Amino acid sequence: MADYRKMWSDLGMDLEKHDLLCEALPDAFGAIYMSQENRPEGMDFFNFVVSEIHGVRPAELIEHQKNGGKVFGTFCVYVPDEIIFAAGGIATGLCGGSQFWVAGGEKVLPANTCPLIKASVGARLDGTCPFFKIADMYIGETTCDGKKKAWEILQQEVPVYVMDIPQMKREKDILAWKEEIRLLLKRIEEFTGNKVTPEILAEKIKMINNKRKALARLYNTRKSSPVPISGKDALLVTQIAFYDDPVRNAEQVNKLCDELEARIAKGEGVFPKNAPRILITGTPMAIPNWKLHHIIETSGAAVVVEELCTGTRYFENLVDESGKTLDEQIKALAERYMKTNCACFTPNTGRIDDILRLVKEYHVDGVIECNLQFCGLYSTEAYLVQQKLKEADVPYMHLETDYSEQDLEQIRTRVQAFIELLEK
Ligand code: BJ8
């Protein structure tokens, strides 16, 4: 990585602690990613992003700030990036996916909080992630109890604006969500000093839709057999989409897709044709959480799709681009975002419908549900997911884990037994 020490120091980061993270990441990435054979050349860009993860993009965000722009950190796929970009801001995903940050979060949070929240809070409080330091404002949401309370702690460090997410999807809830998006727009206009016009919002709706289309194209290639890209690589591409520049990201993903489609035309893939095809569902896998994918794909199976927020929930459903007024556009945004199926809603049968649909579309042999420890929402919903998949005769396994490596071998043993079952 180029030398960004001055930038990190100017941000007030803990350089000594941060050095430990910088030392560990290349080894982990090398062991998990660079050991794969026959990777698409189009992954070079994404490898580069990881190699400069705390350098290139943070430097771009700081440049944006120097030019008078604001940066907004987000933690959930319900937060509409379109509004932020339309007000001249930049949205960047902030969910923490590393065990490295968990201890920092545990200093202020109960131990039985999910690792995603602990890592996110720890990354900020310990000063070991430039993205958390750069963001001028965090946009939180009322999705789960742990997050709701975490915002109050983070608010002591940085302005946090919280969106009130409905818990049901009745007509009145969608109207309430539309009102929430309108309030967000107002708050962001005030904070940036920029007015959002229908013309500029239309442009940004299109921009984010283009990113979604590129990711949808990538996932579409994974329906082929043999699959032209590993699940690990597809996951990395999706994770990077949360914080890279959206236009550049769509370009790079499309470039990768050109190569993958050529592979499909030649019948080339990264796993043997008969490798069991796995769908992963559950809680999000924020970068650098590659734990389960690595276990599965070094145990003889291929991950072909993720029904996750770092997966299909992120890009499925486009925003209707035909709105001409702000009111029509906000309505279109509200309708699109409410189509996402998270366990914080009741009922959430749409998620099970999605899983069953994806099983067919991606020719899935088995489903592994993986939830982060202490996520009561997803762990409870797992009962119904299992029940419906059983009824549909789809093999299913449920795991709970965190970001540590303590349970690696235990999970590997269970995953291998599951894969053996699918091979029979
Ligand atoms: S739309 S999944 S990104 S809330 S933080 S709920 S793991 S206890 S992340 Fe999420 Fe939005 Fe839903 Fe997606 Fe559980 Fe942890 Fe809460 Fe979590």
Side-chain angles (χ1 to χ4, degrees):
M1 194 177 340
D3 192 3
Y4 294 102
R5 291 185 81 77
K6 173 152 181 359
M7 179 179 85
W8 296 330
S9 154
D10 291 348
L11 287 170
M13 289 173 58
D14 181 335
L15 294 191
E16 252 175 62
K17 231 186 229 175
H18 184 244
D19 282 347
L20 299 175
L21 181 61
C22 292
E23 278 163 26
L25 191 64
D27 285 349
F29 189 73
I32 295 175
Y33 275 91
M34 304 315 275
S35 56
Q36 297 179 95
E37 281 173 20
N38 196 19
R39 289 181 82 208
E41 278 175 23
M43 286 308 295
D44 289 352
F45 168 77
F46 301 95
N47 295 338
F48 168 75
V49 172
V50 174
S51 71
E52 295 276 330
I53 198 155
H54 282 178
V56 171
R57 186 63 178 154
E60 288 176 355
L61 298 179
I62 291 170
E63 197 51 36
H64 174 73
Q65 288 172 321
K66 281 186 188 150
N67 294 326
K70 299 279 186 212
V71 175
F72 296 82
T74 63
F75 299 83
C76 177
V77 299
Y78 282 105
V79 174
D81 286 353
E82 293 88 340
I83 298 284
I84 295 172
F85 283 100
I90 293 182
T92 183
L94 285 185
C95 287
S98 167
Q99 178 67 11
F100 184 80
W101 293 313
V102 166
E106 282 179 341
K107 284 183 204 152
V108 295
L109 297 168
N112 62 352
T113 303
C114 101
L116 191 149
I117 299 174
K118 287 196 276 201
S120 301
V121 171
R124 171 73 204 197
L125 299 188
D126 278 355
T128 45
C129 175
F131 290 95
F132 278 83
K133 281 284 190 189
I134 290 168
D136 297 291
M137 181 185 263
Y138 294 176
I139 311 291
E141 11 63 42
T142 55
T143 43
C144 69
D145 290 351
K147 279 185 171 182
K148 279 190 278 198
K149 292 292 116 182
W151 310 139
E152 294 168 21
I153 296 172
L154 289 168
Q155 178 80 55
Q156 296 179 341
E157 294 264 320
V158 56
V160 182
Y161 179 86
V162 181
M163 296 188 78
D164 188 3
I165 300 217
Q167 315 244 303
M168 298 175 79
K169 291 184 182 172
R170 298 159 300 180
E171 195 51 41
K172 78 181 186 88
D173 299 308
I174 296 169
L175 284 176
W177 183 235
K178 185 181 159 200
E179 197 44 36
E180 272 303 304
I181 296 178
R182 192 189 310 281
L183 290 175
L184 174 77
L185 185 144
K186 241 180 99 203
R187 182 70 188 99
I188 292 190
E189 278 185 337
E190 278 165 19
F191 197 72
T192 58
N194 297 327
K195 194 97 197 106
V196 174
T197 62
E199 292 71 31
I200 193 138
L201 185 53
E203 196 187 295
K204 301 306 173 188
I205 286 176
K206 209 174 225 147
M207 177 181 84
I208 302 295
N209 270 348
N210 284 344
K211 177 165 100 168
R212 291 190 184 109
K213 284 180 197 164
L215 287 169
R217 186 177 162 204
L218 167 69
Y219 277 58
N220 200 41
T221 67
R222 302 171 72 193
K223 293 175 184 168
S224 297
S225 177
V227 63
I229 183 168
S230 67
K232 264 193 282 200
D233 278 333
L235 175 66
L236 180 66
V237 172
T238 315
Q239 289 170 332
I240 287 174
F242 277 77
Y243 64 90
D244 194 13
D245 172 74
V247 175
R248 173 177 54 210
N249 192 261
E251 269 168 26
Q252 292 295 334
V253 175
N254 277 318
K255 201 171 133 204
L256 172 66
C257 291
D258 292 340
E259 183 184 351
L260 299 182
E261 286 163 5
R263 279 186 169 195
I264 293 169
K266 285 188 257 162
E268 286 174 9
V270 287
F271 292 99
K273 232 174 158 1
N274 60 353
R277 299 168 65 89
I278 305 291
L279 175 150
I280 296 183
T281 183
T283 50
M285 297 179 173
I287 200 165
N289 179 7
W290 306 305
K291 183 172 167 177
L292 182 62
H293 281 65
H294 185 54
I295 291 175
I296 294 172
E297 297 197 328
T298 49
S299 300
V303 178
V304 293
V305 60
E306 296 82 10
E307 191 282 317
L308 302 176
C309 286
T310 43
T312 54
R313 280 182 231 143
Y314 186 48
F315 63 81
E316 283 198 331
N317 305 308
L318 299 175
V319 179
D320 178 5
E321 295 179 8
S322 67
K324 294 282 175 281
T325 62
L326 280 183
D327 191 64
E328 286 168 357
Q329 292 166 326
I330 292 173
K331 181 170 179 276
L333 285 165
E335 285 169 352
R336 184 269 160 193
Y337 280 88
M338 276 296 113
K339 284 185 191 148
T340 303
N341 295 313
C342 172
C344 61
F345 282 83
T346 183
N348 190 33
T349 47
R351 177 170 162 235
I352 297 170
D353 296 341
D354 285 342
I355 296 170
L356 290 169
R357 169 176 57 82
L358 295 169
V359 162
K360 285 206 181 92
E361 285 179 7
Y362 289 79
H363 316 290
V364 165
D365 297 306
V367 170
I368 300 184
E369 168 144 24
C370 183
N371 294 321
L372 287 169
Q373 249 172 20
F374 308 119
C375 177
L377 291 168
Y378 277 85
S379 294
T380 308
E381 195 163 281
Y383 175 77
L384 295 173
V385 175
Q386 171 161 31
Q387 195 179 56
K388 295 294 171 197
L389 289 181
K390 199 169 175 205
E391 278 170 26
D393 214 12
V394 178
Y396 167 93
M397 180 172 78
H398 181 202
L399 297 169
E400 260 189 37
T401 185
D402 57 15
Y403 294 160
S404 76
E405 297 199 343
Q406 277 171 0
D407 57 359
L408 265 186
E409 288 318 309
Q410 200 188 331
I411 292 183
R412 186 178 288 282
T413 308
R414 289 193 58 201
V415 164
Q416 282 173 347
F418 184 67
I419 292 171
E420 269 170 36
L421 199 93
L422 301 178
E423 283 167 339
K424 280 180 190 156

